Amino acid sequence: MTEAPPTEVRSKPEVLPPLREDEYATLLAEVVAESMPRLFAVVQEVGDREDGWVAAWGLAFDDRAEVVPYGRGVCMSLPSAENALRYFGRGGGVRASLHWIGS
């Protein structure tokens, strides 16, 4: 005859009291701050400080960047914010640069 394996005794998980409203608000604020994307603008310039304009706005996440052209154009999901420069830095003396907002 084989012995039955011992049964595992598990204790009940501790039930924690619900957070107070201010504690919950603080916790959510921390979650939001940790997951907040960085805002950037793609700026196009011509000449030596002759003219410049915002070509697009973007949100940089940990794993990608979402870029929305200012005015008309196609929205893009790119591996990084820096990848947007090749789409907006076209020839003819127009160059593109990233400008981080709030940095």
Side-chain angles (χ1 to χ4, degrees), residues 58-77:
L59 294 173
F61 296 90
D62 290 338
D63 62 343
R64 72 186 189 289
E66 300 295 327
V67 181
V68 179
Y70 187 76
R72 293 189 173 149
V74 177
C75 296
M76 295 176 268
S77 185

Side-chain angles (χ1 to χ4, degrees), residues 1-79:
M1 228 161 133
T2 31
E3 267 184 57
T7 57
E8 185 179 327
V9 178
R10 294 184 183 181
S11 60
K12 291 184 180 178
E14 182 182 348
V15 177
L16 299 173
L19 295 173
R20 293 188 325 258
E21 188 174 333
D22 62 324
E23 292 173 323
Y24 186 67
T26 299
L27 179 65
L28 284 181
E30 290 171 4
V31 169
V32 168
E34 289 173 6
S35 65
M36 181 175 60
R38 292 179 62 201
L39 177 65
F40 64 92
V42 179
V43 173
Q44 290 179 318
E45 299 174 76
V46 293
D48 184 21
R49 297 181 303 268
E50 288 176 38
D51 199 3
W53 56 91
V54 174
W57 287 100
L59 294 173
F61 296 90
D62 290 338
D63 62 343
R64 72 186 189 289
E66 300 295 327
V67 181
V68 179
Y70 187 76
R72 293 189 173 149
V74 177
C75 296
M76 295 176 268
S77 185
L78 302 168

